[in-house]
């Protein structure tokens, strides 16, 4: 019998502090950095984001999202045999956020590791978990995207600091006799490192280089629009499906214009596009599972729907996962 993997529960968690564009513009304005709600909404579609308190880490947000996903799946933490956390803002250099989160869930023994693929992290992590489940290496996985991007933002750079937020999303992925995950397609091209990066590093007890996010927004925009269409088409082809089979497109929530352009290229009506960037901003690896959970809990996404998840981000990395929910 063929072994597949299937999502059996979703969960998410946003830190309570919600910062609207007007709030952020006022905070930045006090430091001489000019921006406005109008500019941010028009160029990005973002209206608000959440920022974590200084003592809250990615594993804190991820553990809460994981608890909610476990509850939705009707599973106890002790049944989990694999934890993968997608994050670019881990609690420590090491150990992984996944190990710290495992301990916060009160469990021990199962494999736990992080995946670092920036905003493509969740589709990478989901694909790795699917592969381990299909080959018998695990049967009940927690796959989590968790980020505190506010920690790596330069609040004197208005071209980047208005775009990102903090949060976490999680799914329980279980072995199944019927397919959930239908196909996936992952890519990277390291020659684009410099268009989106946090170039600093820790060495000899000091931070070397600049530890804040740098982005060439227009270069990222152009690359993202092209690769998202390619990844979606390659994934559909692997699954023997077409555009018309997609019930919901859940792209990485970076910029509404990139997301709408991808939907148009896939000939999908805009009402099949899941949008949470307006309320969450860009939460990097957390954005797709956050959007998924919000849509499941609002009743938009239902059991049996076919979902196209798509990530794109620093690396440059990109990829897609097609699944029956
Ligand atoms: N408020 C007000 N004005 C601003 C702001 C701001 N927050 N930011 C930039 N501006 C100004 C610029 O200074 C510029 O002014 P000028 O014309 O006087 O020089 C003007 O607005 C236009 O700036 P552009 O950079 O050309 O604006 P653009 O339309 O390209 O939008 C944006 C910028 C939103 C960043 C866009 O390029 C974009 O969304 N790119 C993709 C970003 C993205 O998706 N990143 C995430 C990738 S995922 C990951 O891995 C993290």
């Amino acid at each position: 019998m063929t072994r597949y993997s299937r999502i059996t529960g979703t969960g998410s968690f946003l830190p309570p502090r919600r910062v609207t564009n007007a709030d952020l513009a006022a905070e930045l304005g006090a430091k001489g950095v000019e921006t406005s709600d109008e500019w941010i909404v028009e160029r990005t579609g973002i209206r608000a984001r959440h920022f974590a308190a200084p003592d809250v880490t990615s594993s804190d947000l991820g553990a809460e999202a994981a608890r909610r996903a476990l509850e939705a799946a009707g599973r106890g933490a002790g049944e989990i045999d694999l934890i993968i956390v997608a994050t670019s803002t881990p609690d420590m250099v090491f150990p992984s956020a996944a190990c710290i989160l495992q301990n916060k869930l009160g469990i021990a023994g199962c494999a736990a590791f992080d995946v670092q693929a920036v905003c493509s992290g969740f589709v990478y992590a989901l694909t790795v978990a699917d592969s381990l489940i299909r080959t018998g290496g695990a049967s009940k996985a927690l796959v989590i995207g968790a980020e505190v991007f506010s920690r790596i933002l330069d609040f004197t750079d208005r071209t980047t600091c208005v775009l990102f937020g903090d949060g976490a999303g999680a799914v329980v992925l279980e072995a199944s006799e019927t397919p959930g995950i239908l196909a996936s397609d992952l890519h990277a091209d390291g020659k684009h490192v410099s268009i989106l990066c946090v170039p600093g590093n820790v060495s000899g007890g000091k931070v070397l280089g600049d530890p804040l996010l740098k982005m060439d927004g227009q270069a990222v925009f152009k690359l993202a629009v092209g690769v998202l269409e390619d990844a979606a088409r390659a994934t559909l082809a692997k699954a023997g499906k077409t555009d018309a089979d997609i019930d919901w497109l859940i792209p990485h929530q970076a910029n509404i214009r990139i997301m709408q352009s991808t939907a148009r290229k896939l000939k999908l009506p805009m009402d099949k596009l899941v949008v949470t960037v307006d309320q969450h901003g860009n939460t990097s690896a957390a954005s797709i599972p956050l959007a998924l959970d919000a849509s499941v809990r609002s009743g938009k996404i239902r059991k049996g729907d076919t979902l196209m998840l798509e990530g794109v981000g620093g690396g440059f990395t990109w990829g897609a996962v097609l699944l029956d929910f």
Side-chain angles (χ1 to χ4, degrees), residues 34-36 39-40 43-44 118-119 149 158-159 162-164 196 213 215 217-218 220-221 252 254-255 257-258 282 284 312-314:
E34 266 183 55
T35 188
S36 66
W39 191 95
I40 302 170
R43 305 286 176 130
T44 71
V118 201
C119 304
F149 253 56
R158 67 178 183 176
T159 67
V162 301
L163 304 175
F164 296 91
L196 182 51
L213 184 145
M215 180 173 74
Q218 292 187 1
V220 169
F221 196 106
H252 168 49
N255 180 315
R257 293 187 293 150
I258 297 176
N282 180 347
S284 190
V312 60

Side-chain angles (χ1 to χ4, degrees), residues 170-189:
V171 301
V172 175
L173 190 73
E174 298 193 34
S176 161
E177 289 174 10
T178 52
I181 294 189
L182 302 171
S184 62
D185 187 58
L186 302 180
H187 298 276
D189 184 348

Side-chain angles (χ1 to χ4, degrees), residues 121-248:
F122 187 76
V123 294
Y124 266 68
L126 196 58
T127 302
V128 172
D130 170 58
S131 305
L132 277 166
I133 288 176
R134 279 191 291 105
T135 52
S139 19
K140 292 183 186 65
L142 266 171
V143 184
I144 299 156
E147 302 277 17
V148 283
F149 253 56
S150 59
R151 304 285 153 76
I152 52 168
L153 296 179
D154 177 354
F155 284 97
T156 65
D157 175 10
R158 67 178 183 176
T159 67
T160 54
C161 73
V162 301
L163 304 175
F164 296 91
D166 302 337
V171 301
V172 175
L173 190 73
E174 298 193 34
S176 161
E177 289 174 10
T178 52
I181 294 189
L182 302 171
S184 62
D185 187 58
L186 302 180
H187 298 276
D189 184 348
K191 76 170 168 285
H192 301 296
V193 165
S194 62
I195 65 169
L196 182 51
C197 60
V198 177
N201 201 350
V202 178
S203 176
K206 294 193 182 113
V207 174
L208 288 192
D210 190 339
L212 299 176
L213 184 145
K214 306 277 169 265
M215 180 173 74
D216 176 345
Q218 292 187 1
V220 169
F221 196 106
K222 276 184 212 142
L223 264 172
V225 167
V227 298
L228 284 172
E229 183 189 9
D230 294 346
R233 297 224 171 276
T235 309
L236 286 168
K238 284 183 191 176
K241 303 270 185 185
T242 69
D243 305 357
D245 294 308
I246 300 173
D247 292 311
W248 297 103

